[in-house]
Amino acid sequence: MNPNQRIHAISAWIDAAPDNQNRDPEAQLFGRIAKVAEESGTMEDVERELLDVAFAALAAVVHLHAADPQPVYVLSLLDDHIEQVAQMAKRP
């Protein structure tokens, strides 16, 4: 399983959790975004927490594309975004 497939599988696992079964999709998305805010204040094991935040954000992007006919390649979206930011950083 490639990283994109793993992200989609974990996102589906989160959606299938008993607490999420009857939740509105917007509430599910808020829960993922709240995870980012929750983790941002910790000082213990900073690297792991930052990676948790990054993963929560990628899983939220997957959730935003849940209705797409094909699974979104979230790592490609991230790569495109990094390229856009890199281009902005080159501007005077």
Side-chain angles (χ1 to χ4, degrees):
M1 185 179 289
N2 68 44
N4 192 65
Q5 291 168 323
R6 280 195 294 274
I7 292 169
H8 278 269
I10 294 170
S11 181
W13 174 74
I14 292 168
D15 287 341
D19 288 347
N20 286 329
Q21 288 297 306
N22 296 316
R23 287 178 78 192
D24 179 79
E26 231 176 276
Q28 287 179 348
L29 180 60
F30 176 79
R32 291 169 188 234
I33 293 170
K35 170 70 173 162
V36 172
E38 168 196 327
E39 298 296 349
S40 66
T42 185
M43 290 302 289
E44 295 177 8
D45 197 5
V46 173
E47 181 178 287
R48 185 173 195 79
E49 297 300 339
L50 288 170
L51 292 170
D52 280 351
V53 169
F55 180 76
L58 290 172
V61 171
V62 167
H63 187 78
L64 287 172
H65 289 272
D68 291 2
Q70 295 292 322
V72 64
Y73 194 74
V74 69
L75 296 177
S76 179
L77 292 177
L78 178 60
D79 188 49
D80 291 347
H81 182 71
I82 290 169
E83 179 59 29
Q84 290 172 4
V85 172
Q87 290 303 317
M88 288 188 308
K90 290 179 183 178
R91 293 183 190 152

